[in-house]
Structure formats: C-alpha cells, structure tokens
C-alpha cells in the first residue's frame, strides 16, 4: 500500500546487464523518510559502503522525487540526486528544479536507483512505467544544449532530459547533471555528473502524464489558494530581477567573495547585478513547475563581445563567483561563462572558484606562468579582472586540457598538487568550494558551512534567509535574526538544517520562506496530499533523522570534528572594509554548542542514545 502523492514505485536499474527491477515502495518508508533527499539517503546507505570508490560501478546514482513533486503545491517542481561524491569522497547530493522531476513522477516512478556500468555509452528512456535502454554512442561528445535538442528530435518535445556534457563524460570531478538543455536546471555540486559518466550513461529521458492524486484535493486546493497571492507579492524582487537582483545589497553588507575572499567591498558590483543584466540582456523569465515566483531569467544576445548568448541566465552564485571573486565586472563575460559551464556540464561555483584560486596563486608567485596553458596549448596570464583569460581557462577545464586538468579536480586537490602555501588560497569545506556568501557577514553561515553534510553549502541550513527577512515561528524564529549573533547558534543551526532536510525531502523550494510560508502551512499541505496525520514536531524529527543518517555515513568515511572547519582566511583574517569589516565568526564555541544540541559527542559523532531515539540504531 502507498500513500497518495506517491506513485509507490521505484525502478532499480543495473547498467551492467540492462536489468530493471521495479519495486513497490513501503508506506513505512514514506512515513519515516518522506521522499526526495530523505528516502534517497536511506536507499543510498542501503547500497553504498563508506569505502566505495565514487567512480566505481558500485556507487549508486539515485534520482528521487518527493510526495509534493508534480502537484500544484507552490515550489514543488524539484527532485534530488544522490551519490557518493567523487569531488569530496563523502555523501553527495544535489537539488534541481525545472520540470524533469515532475515528468519522471508522471512517467510512473517516485525515483530510480542506478548501479553498475554499461559496456558502451547508452541513454535511458523512461515512460509509461517502464525503462528502455538506447545506444548512446552517437551522443557521446555532445554538449548539453545539443543533447537536449537531439533527444527532442528523437522522442518529441513533451519530454524532459537529464544529461551530461563532455565534462561528465571525462569524469571531471566538478561535473554536473544538467536538466532541460538551455533552460539549464542543474544538479550542480559534488561531481554527480562524473558519477553518471562513470556509468557510461549519457542521458535520462523522461516522458509521462500520469495524474498525481491527492487524499483531499479540495482541502489541498483551498490551502494553496489561500497563500499563493502572498507568496507572489513578497517575492516580487526575485520575479523582477532573479536571484542576482540581490547582488548589490550583498556587497553592501560584506557578503560577496571579492577577489577570492580577500576584500570587503567592491565598487563594480552594480555593473553585474540582476538589474544591470535585466536592462541589457534578459529577454524573459523561466519558472519551475508549479512555481508562483519565476525567479529564473533567460538571456539572449545575437552578438555579445564573446559571441551569441541564448539560454538560462546566470544565478547569484554564478555572478558572485565568476564576477566578484575574479574581479570581472563585464556581465556579458559572466553570462558566457555560465553558458559554457552549462554546455560542458560544469558546476559554476567550483569552476569559478578554481579560476579565482589560480588568479590568486599566480599573483602570489606560487605557480609559474609557463605551466598555465589553455586548451590550445597557449600560455594564459590569469590576471584579476581579465575576462578573456577566464574564458580560456574555463574551456581548458571543460576539455580537460592544459591547466584544466589541474583545476578540474577542484581547489582542494589542485592546491595539494601545487603544494606549499597554495592551500591558503583554496576556499572549501571538506573539498567542496564555498558558495558566494561570506560567513564573515553571517556568523551562522560559518557553522552551516562547517557542518553541512556535503561540504560548504548555504542551503543545507539556509540560515541567512532568516537573517535577511524570513521567520519560522515553529522553531522559535519569530523575528529576523541578528547576523552577527553567536550565542544560541548551535540549536538554531540544527533546527534549520532539519527544516531544510524536510524541504529537500518533500521537494519544495526554500524561497517559499521569503514568501511567508511556514512549517504549519507545509504540514497542512502534506496531510491533505497524502492522508497522513503529521504534526510539525513529527516532521522536524523526520528532518533530524534524515540529517543524521547522512552524518553517520560521513563519520564512517572518516569525517570528524577536525573536518568541521573553515578556510584560514575566513576563520582568522578579517577584511579591511565593507559591511562586515573586522568580524570573524567564533566557530569553535558555536561548534561545541551545536554538537550538544545535536546529541553528538565532542568529535561530532552521533551518540548511541541519539541514534536510538531516531530509529537509527542499526547504523552504529
């Protein structure tokens, strides 16, 4: 038996022999793990051992929807991808929007679990509750935009495509899985595209229109209608200018990673803001399924300084890293870098951070100029603000030629290869580069980055949302938090991480919190959809269980307190000016408080009592 809101079916696909085993999901698992990130994490730990090589056939690649995916619930057009990360060597997952998850679910499956490796390149076509294998040899080498167009030629325009570009084929450690071609919805962190490439899997094409039924459709529709106008009104800035619309405000409060995290202010920020891009190159909006916000921007220029542009516009993180971190103030160059990352299938945060790292160590004299070659074998001079050099280096990463072979590993491994002081300029946590928010501007982010299960991530805790404008009364956030506060951060961060696990398992967009949505509203949606009788506290316990199972896996991979840390420049070196000048987050004290709030020991290991309380004693 399965609850409403689910198809109740998961496809287990063995790439080695082409076998497909369709299994019924258990209602007990749905209740305990919800779906999406939660159920995906549970299945992942069933399949993957801590010593599994991330690029081996044994590493499972899991695509999972949530109960709300594909419904009319606002912000529900999302899905989760899970595998052991080849970039970090620990638990890896990435969230993506758009419509791919919706179409997968309407094809008849809540999720798919992929193991093994095909002998030759293939792609999957999932429709009508079945999975078909097709020869993908002729697709190998196509970029993601061309791949999407080819799949629509073969299977019609009513499909959705998840695929890898050349970077994923070459198993570049920062390769992404890109969805929907030019619409470019990315499962973007930790190198999950490399996992897909290691299985000789070029694409997963989905098609379907099966209905997703609610337990009480009228109650659900009424609850949705009651809040949608407020969501639209409160998120108008996101609608008008996309996520990059907040770039200037972020610069003013000291939140941008300026000159590879060394400066506190930058007078050029306005030139690359969402407002500037809207005036110059934005030609339309894009939205995920069932989204009233529509924060996506599409850009089109028949002829920019770097050639034509046509596709998804850059998000805040992309602009912050390729722009502020590299001191590049040309919006056309940033839009081109975004397009190249989408075509090659590269994580914009990791790729841009690697280039900023290279500019920094070159300035410090830690790498010889003759060792910096582009994809044509020509020497590149990686100077701050040089957009042409940045794009040449980006091509080298995507093609895995010249300096790209080094940088494609990410800043941690690149710095280790160079040696000496290079590691002082590599900004990552557990091997994953920092997103474009500076923890010296939000103390809570320091704790969030240090303890996030996949490495540095601003969304696995999302605390900065509640230090800007959002509140969440069910966990005690009744007014906007002080961004420089340090006391009480352990408990707040733990509760927010649990909350974000709920969102990633239901598959809801976290921008809903900007729209005034809270856990009471979300619980009402879930019960009307599924027929379950969750309370807010039960949902929060499920979120804690989900966060904890990921931590336990990481502990078994060797993660401990010594890994819950920050780069030295962030932890020890204040910036000279800007809206957060002189602030250094007191990580050590916050971390001790956090472990106590979590019920973990001093080394960051969940205790036996905590595991028993969460029903996870089997993991000891």
């Amino acid at each position: 038996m399965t609850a409403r809101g689910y198809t109740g079916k998961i496809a287990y696909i063995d790439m080695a022999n082409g076998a497909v085993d369709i299994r019924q999901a258990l209602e007990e698992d749905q209740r305990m793990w919800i779906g999406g990130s939660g159920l995906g994490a549970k299945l992942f730990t069933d399949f993957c051992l801590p010593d599994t090589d991330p690029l081996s056939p044994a590493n499972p690649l899991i695509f999972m929807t949530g109960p709300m995916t594909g419904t009319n619930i606002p912000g529900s057009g999302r899905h989760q991808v899970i595998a052991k990360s080849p970039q970090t060597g620990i638990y890896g997952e990435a969230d993506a929007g758009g419509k791919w998850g919706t179409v997968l679910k309407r094809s008849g499956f809540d999720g798919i679990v992929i193991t093994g490796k095909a002998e030759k390149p293939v792609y999957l076509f999932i429709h009508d509750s079945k999975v078909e294998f097709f020869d993908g040899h002729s697709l190998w080498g196509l970029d993601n935009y061309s791949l999407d167009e080819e799949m629509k030629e073969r299977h019609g325009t009513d499909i959705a495509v998840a695929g890898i570009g050349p970077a994923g084929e070459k198993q570049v450690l920062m390769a992404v899985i890109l969805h929907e071609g030019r619409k470019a919805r990315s499962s973007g962190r930790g190198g999950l595209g490399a996992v897909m490439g290691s299985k000789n899997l070029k694409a997963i094409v989905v098609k379907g229109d099966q209905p997703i039924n609610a337990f009480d459709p009228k109650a659900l529709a009424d609850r949705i209608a009651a809040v949608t106008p407020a969501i639209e009104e409160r998120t108008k800035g996101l609608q008008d200018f996309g996520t990059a619309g907040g770039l200037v405000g972020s610069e003013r409060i000291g939140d941008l990673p300026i000159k590879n995290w060394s400066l506190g202010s930058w007078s050029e920020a306005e030139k690359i803001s969402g407002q500037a891009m809207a005036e110059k190159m934005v030609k339309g909006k894009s939205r995920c399924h069932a989204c009233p916000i529509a924060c996506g921007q599409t850009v089109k220029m028949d002829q920019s300084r770097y050639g034509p542009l046509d596709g998804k516009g850059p998000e805040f993180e992309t602009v912050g890293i390729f722009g502020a971190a590299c001191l590049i103030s040309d919006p056309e160059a940033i839009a081109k870098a975004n397009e190249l990352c989408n075509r090659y299938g590269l994580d914009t945060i990791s790729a841009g951070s690697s280039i900023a790292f290279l500019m920094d160590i070159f300035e410090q004299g830690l790498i010889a100029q003759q060792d910096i070659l582009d994809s044509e074998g020509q020497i590149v001079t990686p100077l701050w603000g040089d957009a042409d050099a940045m794009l040449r280096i980006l091509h080298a990463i995507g093609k895995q030629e010249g300096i790209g072979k080094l940088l494609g590993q990410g800043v941690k491994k690149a710095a280790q290869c160079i040696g000496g002081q290079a590691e002082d300029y590599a900004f990552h946590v557990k091997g994953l580069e920092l997103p474009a928010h500076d923890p010296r501007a939000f103390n809570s982010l320091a704790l969030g980055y240090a303890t996030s299960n996949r490495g540095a991530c601003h969304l696995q805790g999302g605390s900065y949302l509640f230090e800007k404008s959002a509140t969440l009364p069910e966990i005690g956030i009744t007014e906007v938090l002080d961004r420089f506060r340090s006391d009480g951060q352990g408990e707040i961060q733990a509760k927010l991480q649990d909350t974000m696990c709920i969102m990633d398992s239901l598959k809801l967009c976290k921008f809903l919190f900007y729209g005034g949505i809270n856990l009471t509203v979300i619980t009402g949606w879930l019960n009307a959809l599924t027929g379950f009788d969750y309370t807010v506290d039960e949902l929060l316990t499920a979120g804690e269980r989900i966060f904890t199972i990921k931590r336990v896996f990481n502990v078994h991979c060797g993660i401990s307190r010594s890994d819950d840390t920050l780069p030295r420049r962030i932890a020890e070196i204040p910036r000279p000016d800007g809206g957060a000048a002189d602030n250094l987050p007191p990580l050590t004290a916050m971390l001790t408080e956090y472990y106590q709030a979590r019920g973990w020991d001093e080394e960051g290991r969940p205790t036996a009592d905590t595991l028993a309380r969460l029903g996870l004693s089997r993991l000891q």
Side-chain angles (χ1 to χ4, degrees), residues 10 92 101 125 129 156-158 197 200 227 302 308 328 336 366 428 436 441 459 473 515 519 537:
I10 298 174
F125 183 33
S129 298
T157 58
D158 57 343
N200 269 334
V227 297
D302 292 335
I328 290 173
K336 189 63 178 181
L366 300 177
H428 67 89
L459 290 173
L519 288 173
D537 286 344

Side-chain angles (χ1 to χ4, degrees), residues 43 45 58 75 80 95 110 217 226 237 241 243 251 264 311 345 348 380 384 418 468 474 493 508 557 594 598 620:
L43 295 176
T45 57
Q80 203 84 358
D95 168 63
D110 290 322
F241 302 113
T243 56
E251 187 275 335
T348 60
V380 185
W384 297 111
I418 294 168
K468 286 186 172 182
E474 296 93 342
Q493 190 63 224
L508 286 179
C557 290
Y594 172 85
R598 279 263 177 234
Q620 292 185 52

Side-chain angles (χ1 to χ4, degrees), residues 425-466:
Y425 304 94
F427 293 91
H428 67 89
V429 174
K430 301 180 178 74
L432 192 65
E433 292 82 5
L434 272 61
H437 295 281
D438 197 314
R440 292 167 293 187
F442 299 96
N443 282 347
S444 66
L445 272 181
L447 185 58
Y449 285 179
T451 59
S452 166
N453 281 312
R454 69 174 183 176
C457 180
H458 60 303
L459 290 173
Q460 293 210 332
S463 57
Y464 77 108
L465 304 173
F466 303 91

Side-chain angles (χ1 to χ4, degrees), residues 25-48:
L26 301 176
E27 185 172 318
E28 176 185 356
D29 282 343
Q30 294 163 348
R31 180 76 193 229
M32 190 169 181
W33 300 101
I34 304 175
S37 177
L39 186 53
K42 190 265 182 184
L43 295 176
F44 171 80
T45 57
D46 287 344
F47 275 84
C48 189

Side-chain angles (χ1 to χ4, degrees), residues 25 44 70 106 144 200 288-289 331 341 380 455:
F44 171 80
R106 291 183 174 178
N144 278 308
N200 269 334
C288 302
H289 171 79
C341 285
V380 185

